[in-house]
């Protein structure tokens, strides 16, 4: 039986385990990436492992998230990451060089290789034919040290693309369509693999938009074949030698196939407050808008910027609208500054932002109260923009730019004929903002530069044999990591300081949670389905760890967050019978007796609700390796005691 492309790359990288759906496999990791908001913690963890030099083929540390330096904290983090990168053999992409995923796609990603990154949108490089997976910082630290990365061998969903996109319909509309079909839970435990005739009509940056937002499906990753289009892209980036042709076997068997005829798609938007709340523009209607933000790792490529500049050329941004544009990388910004496209944006009245995440992570540009904001980003979770009642719609750059001019959500097909937008045959290449690590002979002399806000990893303890504590919080379905550990300009500078950042844990849902949890000393959180969807931030596990959370009981978990909980030594439990969710109230005392014996004898664990006398069963669906980690108090303790 033939293999899918994802299976081929996975199987070539398995160092332990069998390639069988649902079973755990260990993968050799060729490349890693970190960004600054997760990076400081990841490098503190790497340091704690005591490994002098990274063992990967390429590890890159990016500074792109916390670039608004309203105090010393972010600048201290940048300096710390720069120094640790230099010492331990990691390439350092300085602030100003661009968003990690855009730069990695341009300069480092290689077809056929494995990449893990401490950011959930790492699958962007799947657009180049890589297996690129988002992970917690601790997993990335282990991989940098040469350790394997463990995943559950996934199902492979094949998306067969036929036809060709109509003018002014974009790659963003393709992934919005997939989100509409599969929902934010539809990718859990799966890799999404694109194939079919339609693939060759999409450029690498367009493919990357699609794989980027596979994160919003909850998928392990998404991947496109590596073909002549990939070769042309790599050649234009002066790295044709990185090209290998890769595709699925003709008789590959997918677990499920979805067919999308690109020519039938129309412009669409994900409406507030979920990326899968997708409607066509005509279904939504011509709503008046207050703000437009163009950029983010989803839609900030040169091609996107050229289309935006064309639409804005000679026009003025509508008087009631604020338009901001953040080109994705120094390469993109430099090229549009030289070819005139940037001038067209500036003349139209766009507010040009630095090449960084910016508004996407609430670092500035929060909309006005109740403001309607169109964004080319990938997430529109409630409050993420920094304005609690902001109404965020996710759209293509084409829709965003045209709407910015007319002042309402508008269909760019009204513009009329679309010129052909082509990628250049040669990109301008200047890697001067990537600092190379010190050579092994001088690395010992490099001093690690720390700041007062950089605090150590929280204290952990081996798993106790009896857990008896109150339910400190009960939440509903689809809780995101932005609920658990909010981001934004005020909180992000605390990423290196778990005691401080934990004061904001879950405050989006309940402002009294951090104080209550701290006072209880130990507690359990109860949640609904798809708990922990969204980002890879391990802070969503480390803050609860610091606040004494021993277990989280839910209807189901998102992949990365579940792994982060295990890494932090917190039990991720799911209800055997979902109806038991209704039998727990906040404040109820829950008891798990003989934790070790129950864990040893299988995956079912009995919990007693001491407050109402109810007894129910929960499932601990983890591998034996993860059980060992949980006994030890988390991955860091496990690594330290197992070498
Ligand atoms: C995000 O888009 O939510 C982030 C910020 O990039 C996160 C990482 C983080 O929280 O630092 C992600 O997607 O993993
Ligand atoms: Fe940055 Fe936004 Fe991409 Fe996250 S989703 S990496 S915050 S641009």
């Amino acid at each position: 039986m033939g293999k899918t492309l994802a299976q081929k790359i996975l199987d070539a990288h398995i160092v332990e385990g069998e390639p069988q759906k649902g079973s755990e496999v260990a993968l050799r990791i060729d490349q890693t990436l970190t960004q600054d908001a997760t990076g400081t913690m990841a490098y503190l963890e790497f340091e704690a492992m005591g490994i002098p030099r990274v063992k990967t083929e390429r590890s890159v540390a990016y500074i792109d998230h916390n670039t608004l330096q309203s105090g010393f904290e972010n600048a201290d983090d940048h300096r710390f990451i720069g120094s640790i990168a230099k010492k331990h053999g990691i390439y350092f992409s300085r602030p100003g060089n661009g968003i990690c995923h855009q730069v990695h796609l341009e300069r480092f990603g290689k077809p056929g290789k494995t990449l893990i990154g401490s950011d959930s949108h790492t699958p962007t490089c799947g657009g180049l034919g890589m297996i690129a997976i988002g992970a917690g910082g601790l997993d990335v630290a282990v991989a940098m040290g040469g350790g394997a990365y463990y995943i559950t061998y996934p199902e492979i969903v094949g998306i067969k693309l036929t036809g060709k996109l109509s003018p002014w319909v974009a790659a963003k509309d393709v992934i919005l369509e997939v989100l509409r079909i599969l929902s934010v839970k539809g990718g859990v435990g799966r890799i999404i693999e694109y194939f079919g005739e339609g693939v060759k009509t999409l450029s690498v940056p367009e493919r990357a938009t699609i794989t980027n937002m596979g994160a919003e499906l909850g998928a392990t990753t998404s991947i496109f074949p590596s073909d002549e289009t990939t070769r042309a892209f790599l050649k234009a980036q002066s790295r044709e030698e990185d090209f290998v042709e890769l595709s699925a076997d003709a008789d590959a068997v997918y677990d499920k196939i979805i067919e999308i005829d690109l020519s039938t798609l129309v412009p669409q938007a994900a409406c507030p407050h979920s990326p899968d709340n997708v409607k066509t523009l005509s279904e939504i209607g011509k709503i008046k808008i207050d703000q437009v933000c163009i950029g983010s790792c989803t839609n900030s490529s040169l091609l996107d910027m050229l289309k935006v500049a064309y639409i804005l050329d000679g026009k003025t941004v509508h008087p009631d609208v604020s338009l901001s544009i953040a080109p994705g990388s120094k390469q993109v910004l430099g090229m549009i500054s030289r070819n005139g496209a940037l001038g067209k944006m500036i003349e139209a009245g766009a507010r040009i932002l630095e090449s960084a995440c910016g508004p996407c992570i609430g670092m500035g540009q929060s909309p006005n109260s109740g403001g309607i904001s169109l964004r080319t980003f990938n997430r529109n979770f409630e409050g993420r923009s920094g304005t609690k009642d902001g109404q965020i719609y996710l759209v293509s750059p084409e829709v965003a730019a045209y709407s910015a001019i007319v002042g309402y959500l508008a269909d760019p097909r009204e513009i009329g004929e679309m010129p052909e937008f082509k990628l250049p045959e040669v990109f301008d290449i200047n890697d001067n903002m990537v600092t190379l690590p010190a050579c092994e002979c001088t690395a010992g002399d490099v001093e690690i530069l720390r700041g007062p806000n950089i605090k150590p990893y929280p204290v952990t303890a081996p798993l106790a044999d009896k857990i008896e504590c109150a339910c400190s919080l009960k939440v509903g379905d689809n809780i995101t990591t932005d609920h658990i550990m909010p981001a934004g300009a005020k909180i992000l500078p605390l990423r290196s300081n778990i005691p401080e950042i934990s004061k904001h844990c879950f405050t989006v849902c309940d402002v009294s949670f951090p104080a209550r949890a701290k006072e209880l000393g130990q507690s359990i959180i109860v949640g609904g389905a798809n708990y922990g969807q969204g980002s890879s931030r391990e802070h969503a596990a480390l803050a609860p760890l610091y606040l004494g959370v021993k277990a989280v009981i839910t209807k189901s978990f998102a992949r990365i967050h579940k792994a982060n909980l295990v890494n932090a030594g917190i039990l991720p439990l799911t209800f055997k019978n979902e109806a038991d969710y209704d039998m727990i109230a906040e404040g109820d005392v829950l008891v798990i007796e003989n934790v070790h014996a129950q864990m040893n004898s299988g995956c079912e664990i009995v919990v007693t609700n001491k407050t109402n006398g109810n007894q129910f069963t929960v499932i601990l669906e983890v591998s034996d390796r993860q059980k060992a980690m949980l006994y030890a108090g988390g991955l860091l303790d496990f690594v330290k005691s197992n070498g």
Side-chain angles (χ1 to χ4, degrees):
M1 191 171 78
K3 285 186 183 181
T4 69
L5 172 55
Q7 287 166 342
K8 287 185 192 180
I9 304 177
L10 286 177
D11 296 0
H13 285 84
I14 290 180
V15 291
E16 202 185 303
E18 290 304 314
Q20 274 155 14
K21 247 181 294 170
S23 65
E24 191 178 66
V25 290
L27 299 177
R28 189 182 68 249
I29 297 301
D30 302 320
Q31 299 190 344
T32 64
L33 72 78
T34 56
Q35 41 89 338
D36 50 315
T38 53
T40 315
M41 226 3 106
Y43 292 113
L44 287 171
E45 291 153 358
F46 179 73
E47 250 191 329
M49 289 173 200
I51 296 166
R53 207 165 175 85
V54 292
K55 297 186 177 151
T56 46
E57 290 175 14
R58 175 73 75 245
S59 285
V60 190
Y62 293 91
I63 307 291
D64 56 358
H65 278 62
N66 296 344
T67 54
L68 203 67
Q69 291 154 225
S70 50
F72 64 90
E73 294 88 349
N74 294 344
D76 279 3
D77 284 353
H78 301 172
R79 200 175 55 152
F80 167 73
I81 294 173
S83 64
I84 210 149
K86 192 164 188 185
K87 194 175 184 73
H88 295 289
I90 300 151
Y91 282 50
F92 179 58
S93 173
R94 293 162 59 188
N97 198 42
I99 306 175
C100 54
H101 309 303
Q102 175 65 25
V103 177
H104 211 84
L105 187 82
E106 291 166 356
R107 306 302 305 138
F108 297 109
K110 288 186 185 180
K113 298 285 182 181
T114 52
L115 161 72
I116 67 165
S118 60
D119 192 282
S120 64
H121 290 102
T122 303
T124 311
C125 277
L128 274 177
M130 286 188 102
I131 288 285
I133 307 179
L138 197 40
D139 286 315
V140 177
V142 169
M144 286 191 286
Y149 177 59
Y150 292 79
I151 58 163
T152 306
Y153 199 84
E155 278 188 7
I156 315 288
V157 174
I159 302 209
K160 183 174 179 190
L161 299 178
T162 58
K164 187 176 183 313
L165 289 172
S166 310
W168 303 117
V169 182
K172 183 64 151 264
D173 299 308
V174 179
I175 186 62
L176 289 178
E177 180 67 8
V178 180
L179 273 152
R180 196 181 59 72
I181 298 169
L182 285 177
S183 90
V184 289
K185 298 193 284 249
V188 178
R190 293 164 152 184
I191 288 182
I192 314 293
E193 179 169 323
Y194 293 83
F195 70 104
E197 281 300 293
V199 164
K200 62 175 186 285
T201 68
L202 298 169
S203 66
V204 167
E206 287 174 312
R207 296 174 187 184
T209 294
I210 295 170
T211 55
N212 172 286
M213 270 189 91
E216 275 53 68
L217 297 163
T220 305
T221 189
S222 304
I223 190 166
F224 270 83
S226 170
D227 57 11
E228 284 310 309
T229 307
T230 321
R231 183 204 291 275
F233 178 81
L234 289 171
K235 188 171 175 212
Q237 290 285 355
S238 279
R239 42 194 203 98
E240 194 179 359
E241 68 280 5
D242 291 343
F243 174 73
V244 279
E245 192 172 340
L246 295 167
S247 60
D249 291 329
D251 56 346
V253 178
Y254 293 94
D255 292 290
K256 177 184 169 92
I257 291 186
I258 296 170
E259 252 191 80
I260 297 181
D261 178 355
L262 297 173
S263 61
T264 61
L265 295 181
V266 295
Q268 356 199 35
C271 303
H273 296 286
S274 182
D276 61 358
N277 189 11
V278 176
K279 298 196 172 88
T280 63
L281 296 198
S282 52
E283 278 166 349
I284 303 168
K286 294 184 170 180
I287 49 170
K288 195 171 162 348
I289 58 171
D290 301 286
Q291 188 192 48
V292 173
C293 298
I294 297 177
S296 93
C297 57
T298 321
N299 275 120
S300 59
S301 68
L302 181 66
L303 206 63
D304 288 330
M305 294 299 134
L306 294 180
K307 289 179 185 168
V308 167
Y310 175 84
I311 295 171
L312 296 180
D313 191 10
K315 309 279 190 325
T316 301
V317 174
H318 189 277
D320 299 338
V321 177
S322 164
L323 167 67
S324 70
I325 303 180
S329 67
K330 179 167 84 71
Q331 182 181 76
V332 174
L333 181 56
M335 288 182 76
I336 61 171
S337 74
R338 287 182 288 276
N339 72 12
L342 181 62
K344 291 175 186 168
M345 296 172 176
I346 295 171
E347 283 315 308
R351 302 164 65 182
I352 307 300
L353 306 179
E354 67 174 318
S355 296
C357 301
C360 181
I361 191 56
M363 275 281 172
Q365 304 296 322
S366 300
N368 54 285
S369 302
I372 296 191
S373 178
L374 305 187
R375 299 179 162 212
T376 65
F377 307 166
N378 46 39
R379 292 191 171 138
N380 58 348
F381 303 143
E382 198 169 1
R384 180 174 158 106
S385 66
T387 301
K388 207 169 174 354
D389 58 359
Q391 306 291 309
I392 314 300
Y393 291 75
L394 306 175
V395 296
S396 68
E398 291 86 332
V399 170
Y402 182 55
S403 303
I405 292 164
V406 297
Y408 55 84
L409 179 65
D411 189 333
R413 289 176 300 175
E414 290 167 8
I415 300 171
E417 211 173 307
M418 186 182 89
E420 195 183 348
F421 295 100
K422 268 198 175 157
L423 279 179
E425 278 176 24
V426 187
F427 285 93
D428 298 349
I429 290 152
N430 180 356
D431 291 327
N432 62 340
M433 289 296 278
V434 178
T435 308
L436 300 189
C439 70
E440 272 188 89
C441 47
T442 58
D445 304 333
V446 178
E447 190 196 344
I448 304 292
L449 305 168
R450 297 171 206 276
N453 185 50
I454 301 177
K455 301 280 188 256
Y457 190 84
V459 177
T460 52
L463 186 66
D465 203 34
K466 178 173 178 181
I467 297 175
E468 175 166 352
C469 53
C471 163
S472 52
L473 186 73
K474 185 174 176 189
V475 287
D477 288 348
N478 289 321
I479 285 293
T480 72
T481 52
D482 280 280
H483 291 106
I484 307 173
M485 199 60 264
K490 293 195 194 88
I491 303 177
L492 277 167
L494 305 175
R495 280 290 180 93
S496 314
N497 186 337
I498 300 298
E500 273 309 307
I501 205 170
S502 67
K503 293 180 183 156
H504 301 270
C505 185
F506 263 120
T507 46
V508 177
C509 304
D510 180 348
V511 280
S512 57
F513 171 74
R516 184 167 64 246
K518 196 97 189 87
E519 200 179 314
L520 285 168
Q522 295 196 351
S523 67
I524 291 177
I525 292 173
V526 173
N530 200 24
Y531 179 91
Q533 67 159 327
S535 84
S536 69
R537 65 190 71 146
E538 59 188 341
H539 302 76
L542 296 182
L545 165 70
Y546 178 79
L547 294 172
V549 174
K550 297 294 160 197
V552 181
I553 309 177
T554 69
K555 293 182 183 169
S556 65
F557 286 97
R559 178 186 68 88
I560 307 178
H561 185 61
K562 182 177 173 189
N564 284 341
L565 286 173
V566 174
N567 288 353
I570 298 174
L571 293 173
L573 306 168
T574 47
F575 292 102
K576 185 175 181 194
N577 176 0
E578 285 193 3
D580 288 325
Y581 169 89
D582 299 321
M583 305 293 287
I584 306 174
E586 218 166 271
D588 285 2
V589 174
L590 306 175
V591 187
I592 308 177
E593 303 275 2
N594 306 318
V595 178
H596 290 228
Q598 291 210 66
M599 276 169 68
N600 280 339
S601 64
C603 62
E604 297 200 352
I605 292 179
V606 176
V607 185
T608 308
N609 185 333
K610 221 173 155 179
T611 307
N612 64 14
N614 187 38
Q615 228 181 33
F616 58 96
T617 305
V618 292
I619 309 288
L620 176 64
E621 202 186 346
V622 293
S623 65
D624 289 344
R625 183 190 61 91
Q626 287 179 311
K627 275 188 188 167
M629 275 161 51
L630 286 165
Y631 290 137
L635 178 55
L636 205 51
D637 303 86
F638 179 73
V639 171
K640 280 189 203 153
S641 53
N642 289 273

